[in-house]
Each structure stands twice: as structure tokens, then as C-alpha cells.
Amino acid sequence: MINQIKGLHHVTSMAASASTNNRFFTDTLGLRRVKKTVNFDAPDVYHLYYGDEIGTPGSVMTYFPFPHIARGRPGSGEVGTTVFSVPQGSLGYWTDRLTKAGADGLKADEAFGEKRLQFAGPDGDGFALVEVKDDDRAQWTGNGVGADEAIRGFHSASLRLRDDGANAELLKFMGYEQVDARDGVTRFGMPGGNGADFIDVETMPNISGARLGAGSVHHLAFAVENREKQLEVRKALMDTGYQVTPVIDRDYFWAIYFRTPGGVLFEIATNEPGFDRDEDTAHLGEALKLPTQHEHLRSTLEEHLEPLA
Ligand code: ZN
């Protein structure tokens, strides 16, 4: 077992429309856009990052908007629901806000004794808000959602798997502990994590495999403090038999990727250097930022990328 991982770092999903995506996460959910850049591996599309004021690891929802991409087909081997933490007593506010915004799939229930509001993102993405007592992570209130209601960061993400055994072993190896199991869902928690501490494993032996598309999670990233700890995790995973990519520079963090036994793409990302490395905190996410290798494409990209508010 390793002890370098401290919870989630970011969740990256696919979308069909950049402007719809941007409106939903900023205007409706009240997150801050902390970075407007491009997909480093496919620079003709955006990579948009939303989170708290500075994009603290554990708060960062990111999107690759591919214009006109077909919707994904939900199934096994993918992330099911991405869950944000909100203050106790705020779900009534969120029900009104999401209803007014026309969000689909609103459903209030409880999971593991916590009040939950499920809803769909613009592309059918599976989301939920969960009321958490005393989540002391800093919130962003710059987009009109007050401090008593604003999202604190991720609470959890769920994995939909046909066979959960090997993935449970992997999560334990990564430092998670099984903390509960109810209604076919096993909850794993990260002791001493950054607040985005839970992974729920949904065992669904009879569903077919997911097909990636708009509304699908592309990968789930876990946080490590720095590059040294990342290299320790990489070595430990490879010693256990996982095929792990080399370390890749993502400008705002360093990344390694590997696929889980159930087919979900996992990333380990560093907390350093962070989203304020190339912009003032006061203006995060406003200008189009390009990595050095794609800077020569700037004029073409500025002409062709859909304008965002
Ligand atoms: Zn990532």
C-alpha cells in the first residue's frame, strides 16, 4: 500500500458545446473558470477548467468540448456520478437554482446517510450535490452563489464496474479504505485526504461497456503533492504490474496515466505548480493560454475556437 495519494485532483469529461458547458459550470453551478486552454493532445479543441478561486486540487472539473460529438452511452468501465460537496441545508436552494436553469434528471434522495440531489449536466453527465457538515474548504462566490450554498469541491466519484474485486484491490493499494457498503455500492475513503476523499464502487455485472462521448467522464485524476511523490507512485504501480505512462507536463500539473482492471482511465496529478503559474489570481481563466508547443497555432485557434462569455 502506498500513502502519497491525497484524494481526487480533477475530473475530466467530454462535452459537445464549449459555450453551453461554460455557462452551466460558471453561471449555474457557480464555479470559477480557472483556465481556458486547449487539449494539449488535440489542440484544435478547448480544455476548460472550473473550480474554486485558484483551482485547488480536489475542486477541479475539466472538459474537452468537441463540437458536435455524439453523446456517450452509459455502461460499465467508467465513472458514473461525479459528486460535489455543498453546505448542510443548501439542497433546497440548489433544487430551485437547477430547476430554473432547466437542468434534467433532478432527483433528491439519500446515500450513505447523506442528503443528495442528483442532476444531469448539459450533455447528460451524471452529477450530484451532497450536503456535508463542516466541509471547511474555501468556496468561490464570485459567480453569484453565496457562501452558505457554494460548492466546496468534490465529495466523491462513483465507478460503474462489472466486477469490482480487482478495482477494490487497486483502491486499497492506492491508500483507500473500505468505509461502508450499502445497496450494491461499496464506499472507499481516503484517510488524511484533501476533502475529495470518497470513491463509490457500483457493481453492475450485467450491463454492457460504456461508449465514450459527450457527457462521459474521460478520466479521473488523483492528487499527489509533488513530482517526487508522483515518481514513487509510478514505480509502485509499475512494480505491481500496471502499465503507466511516462510523466507528462500539463503546464499546471504533471500527469501519469494508467487503466484500471475495470477499464477506467486513472491519472495521478501533482498539486504543483498550479493554475496561477501563468496568470494573476484575479484574472484566472480569462485569456486563452497555450502551452509552448502550441503557441504557434494561436492566431488560427483564436479564429476558430468558439467564443466564451
Ligand atoms: Zn487529467
Side-chain angles (χ1 to χ4, degrees), residues 25-32 51-53 59 83-94 97 128-155:
F25 285 90
T26 57
D27 292 351
T28 303
L29 291 188
L31 298 177
R32 185 183 199 190
D52 68 5
E53 181 180 14
S59 79
V83 185
F84 296 100
S85 165
V86 293
Q88 274 199 315
S90 68
L91 283 187
Y93 167 89
W94 281 108
R97 190 176 181 90
L129 301 169
V130 163
E131 288 190 359
V132 177
K133 195 175 172 222
D134 302 328
D135 186 338
D136 60 5
R137 289 180 286 171
Q139 74 281 27
W140 169 251
T141 55
N143 283 348
V145 179
D148 291 341
E149 293 92 16
I151 287 172
R152 260 47 177 185
F154 293 119
H155 164 276

Side-chain angles (χ1 to χ4, degrees), residues 10-12 47 49 62 64 219-221 250 253 255 257 267 269:
H10 62 270
V11 179
T12 295
H47 193 178
Y49 292 76
T62 100
F64 298 135
H219 63 267
L220 204 54
R250 295 305 190 194
F253 48 89
Y257 303 86
E267 173 184 342

Side-chain angles (χ1 to χ4, degrees), residues 34-85:
V34 294
K35 196 60 63 182
K36 180 167 77 169
T37 182
V38 293
N39 181 330
F40 288 13
D41 302 321
D44 53 330
V45 299
Y46 278 122
H47 193 178
L48 303 175
Y49 292 76
Y50 311 98
D52 68 5
E53 181 180 14
I54 57 166
T56 304
S59 79
V60 185
M61 185 74 218
T62 100
Y63 272 88
F64 298 135
F66 284 90
H68 314 302
I69 190 183
R71 277 215 180 174
R73 184 187 64 201
S76 65
E78 67 171 353
V79 172
T81 309
T82 303
V83 185
F84 296 100
S85 165

Side-chain angles (χ1 to χ4, degrees), residues 167-189:
N167 270 274
E169 288 308 306
L170 171 62
L171 289 170
K172 287 176 186 170
F173 181 75
M174 290 167 65
Y176 284 86
E177 293 175 358
Q178 184 176 326
V179 293
D180 209 342
R182 301 185 200 186
D183 308 322
V185 182
T186 306
R187 171 159 290 184
F188 293 85

